[in-house]
């Protein structure tokens, strides 16, 4: 039971790939966290928020049961655990937004010398995976018969140990696959960390805390994605420039002593790549600066 009625609980991975970045984003929201080791529950000292540190696999249940109002977990875990429940209400949580980290994909991989042509090439083989439900769905959609060898970890060594012919596992860079002599052949699912919220009723006071925190979280995530861009440009290129900058709202245009040119400032809602800078230069822009944004309130 919660001792203070306006407090909310957030389920976070205790240690692993999502842990540090989840904390980092909450810190960026201005939360002061008292992170003493080996405690399940950590209180935030300047905000009515408690963090519950658990295994990522348990996060959907804690949120669905309403033990935690929100949690940060990979879409891969949600898909695997709740695949068989198409009705979101029965899951009792909803995905609010993606968090911009923890990117990975659930892929099939085979030994380097395997002659893979299509998913049918796997017919009759043994596939090792920690994601049996996702794999079963893929096999049935592709009408393939395989034996699923369910493993809880180190799936990538299964072909070398001759306990499987192929694997279905999470991949980010692909380095682990390569070092085990495997090649990725098809992707079943693309994943990243997302924020899930319970569908259980929340009392008005914690709901206010939650609304406030969600506003900050959205602001931090938007700031992370956005860039501030400044440049000088010929007046005649303004329309071309507007089309080149991704997700830009109306730019601020200021006149310069050179009457043919203007200074143009804008917020782009996506990252700006070198290729875009080259294109801006090609339409006459100069002194182009791209700056990070610290905070945004939309
Ligand atoms: P726990 O002890 O919490 O169960 P774990 O071993 O299941 O930890 P991690 O390996 O830390 O989990 O991965 C946590 C999440 O990170 C994954 O569920 C996935 O969403 C994401 N992730 C991103 N890249 C990868 C990757 N290359 N391999 C595995 N997970 C990845
Ligand atoms: Zn896990």
């Amino acid at each position: 039971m919660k001792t203070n009625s306006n407090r909310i609980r957030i389920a976070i991975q205790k240690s692993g790939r999502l842990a540090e970045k989840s904390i980092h984003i909450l810190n960026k929201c201005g939360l002061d966290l008292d992170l003493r080791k080996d405690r399940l529950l950590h209180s935030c000292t300047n905000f009515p928020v408690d963090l519950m540190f658990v295994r990522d696999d348990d996060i959907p249940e804690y949120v669905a049961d309403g033990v935690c109002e929100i949690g940060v977990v990979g879409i891969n875990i949600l898909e695997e655990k709740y695949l068989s429940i198409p009705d979101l209400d029965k899951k009792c949580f909803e995905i609010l937004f993606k968090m911009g980290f923890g990117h990975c994909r659930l892929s099939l991989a085979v030994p380097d010398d395997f002659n893979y042509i299509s998913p049918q090439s796997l017919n009759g083989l043994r596939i090792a995976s920690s994601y049996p439900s996702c794999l079963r769905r893929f096999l049935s959609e592709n009408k393939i018969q395989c034996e699923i060898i369910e493993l809880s970890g180190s799936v990538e060594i299964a072909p070398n140990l001759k306990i499987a012919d192929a694997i279905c596992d999470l991949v980010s860079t692909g380095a682990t696959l390569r070092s085990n002599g495997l090649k990725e052949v098809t992707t079943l699912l693309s994943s990243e960390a997302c924020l899930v919220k319970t569908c259980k009723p929340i009392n008005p006071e914690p709901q206010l805390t939650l609304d406030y925190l969600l506003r900050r979280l959205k602001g931090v995530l938007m700031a992370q994605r956005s860039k501030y861009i400044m440049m000088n440009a010929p007046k005649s290129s303004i329309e071309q420039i507007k089309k080149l900058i991704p997700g830009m709202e109306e730019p601020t245009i200021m006149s310069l002593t050179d009457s043919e040119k203007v200074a143009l400032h804008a917020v782009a809602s996506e990252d700006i790549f070198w290729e875009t800078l080259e294109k801006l230069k090609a339409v006459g822009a100069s002194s182009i600066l791209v700056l990070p944004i610290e905070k945004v309130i939309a």
Side-chain angles (χ1 to χ4, degrees):
M1 284 301 288
K2 292 177 191 174
T3 49
N4 190 336
S5 63
N6 70 341
R7 296 190 79 81
I8 59 161
R9 254 181 217 161
I10 311 178
I12 302 277
Q13 190 189 22
K14 186 174 165 57
S15 68
R17 287 180 162 95
L18 304 183
E20 208 175 297
K21 288 195 172 137
S22 303
I23 296 292
H24 176 73
I25 288 194
L26 292 173
N27 277 327
K28 285 216 136 209
C29 291
L31 268 61
D32 240 338
L33 301 166
D34 169 22
L35 296 180
R36 266 171 273 163
K37 277 202 168 149
D38 300 327
R39 279 172 44 188
L40 176 69
L41 215 57
H42 294 254
S43 299
C44 173
T45 49
N46 63 344
F47 211 74
V49 163
D50 298 314
L51 299 192
M52 203 164 117
F53 286 96
V54 290
R55 288 196 58 205
D56 65 344
D57 312 64
D58 298 334
I59 291 175
E61 275 93 334
Y62 282 123
V63 174
D65 292 348
V67 173
C68 297
E69 281 78 8
I70 52 175
V72 179
V73 64
I75 290 170
N76 51 303
I77 300 273
L78 300 176
E79 282 282 337
E80 178 63 20
K81 292 200 168 250
Y82 290 89
L83 212 53
S84 51
I85 312 175
D87 182 352
L88 200 66
D89 284 349
K90 286 190 200 139
K91 293 178 192 166
C92 212
F93 63 77
E94 60 173 314
I95 298 177
L96 292 184
F97 41 79
K98 294 179 180 170
M99 300 289 283
F101 63 87
H103 290 95
C104 59
R105 50 199 186 274
L106 182 66
S107 286
L108 275 168
V110 294
D112 283 332
D113 59 1
F114 187 101
N115 182 25
Y116 181 90
I117 295 156
S118 72
Q120 306 305 324
S121 311
L122 301 168
N123 231 333
L125 300 183
R126 298 161 304 162
I127 308 179
S129 187
S130 313
Y131 289 81
S133 301
C134 289
L135 177 57
R136 207 168 289 120
R137 178 174 65 177
F138 173 84
L139 295 175
S140 120
E141 281 169 1
N142 286 280
K143 303 189 173 45
I144 312 168
Q145 297 285 332
C146 285
E147 185 187 346
I148 298 177
I149 313 284
E150 202 173 327
L151 299 177
S152 57
S154 302
V155 172
E156 65 282 356
I157 59 172
N160 279 329
L161 296 178
K162 307 284 179 227
I163 53 177
D165 307 294
I167 67 163
C168 172
D169 201 10
L170 293 178
V171 185
S172 42
T173 62
T176 310
L177 291 184
R178 282 191 293 281
S179 64
N180 283 282
L182 300 170
K183 60 182 178 190
E184 191 176 349
V185 288
T186 192
T187 297
L188 280 62
L189 173 80
S190 290
S191 178
E192 75 179 89
C194 63
L195 192 80
V196 282
K197 178 177 110 36
T198 187
C199 292
K200 291 263 155 84
I202 303 175
N203 288 332
E205 282 205 345
Q207 182 64 54
L208 280 179
T209 308
L210 183 58
D211 292 343
Y212 196 56
L213 179 66
L214 292 179
R215 238 184 344 264
R216 286 197 191 181
L217 265 172
K218 280 184 198 153
V220 168
L221 296 174
M222 199 189 288
Q224 277 184 356
R225 276 199 310 270
S226 308
K227 291 281 180 271
Y228 194 80
I229 181 161
M230 306 192 278
M231 70 196 85
N232 293 341
K235 278 183 184 163
S236 56
S237 302
I238 293 175
E239 288 311 312
Q240 282 166 292
I241 289 173
K242 282 193 199 170
K243 288 188 191 127
L244 285 173
I245 301 178
M248 184 185 65
E249 290 189 2
E250 216 29 52
T252 307
I253 310 237
M254 289 155 282
S255 40
L256 293 173
T257 42
D258 175 347
S259 61
E260 294 305 306
K261 285 193 164 183
V262 289
L264 187 148
H265 291 198
V267 174
S269 64
E270 292 164 37
D271 205 355
I272 295 173
F273 298 107
W274 286 106
E275 291 75 9
T276 307
L277 299 188
E278 295 294 347
K279 287 179 190 161
L280 290 169
K281 202 164 164 42
V283 297
S286 59
S287 306
I288 310 169
L289 292 182
V290 179
L291 307 173
I293 293 177
E294 177 69 23
K295 294 187 176 73
V296 174
I297 287 273

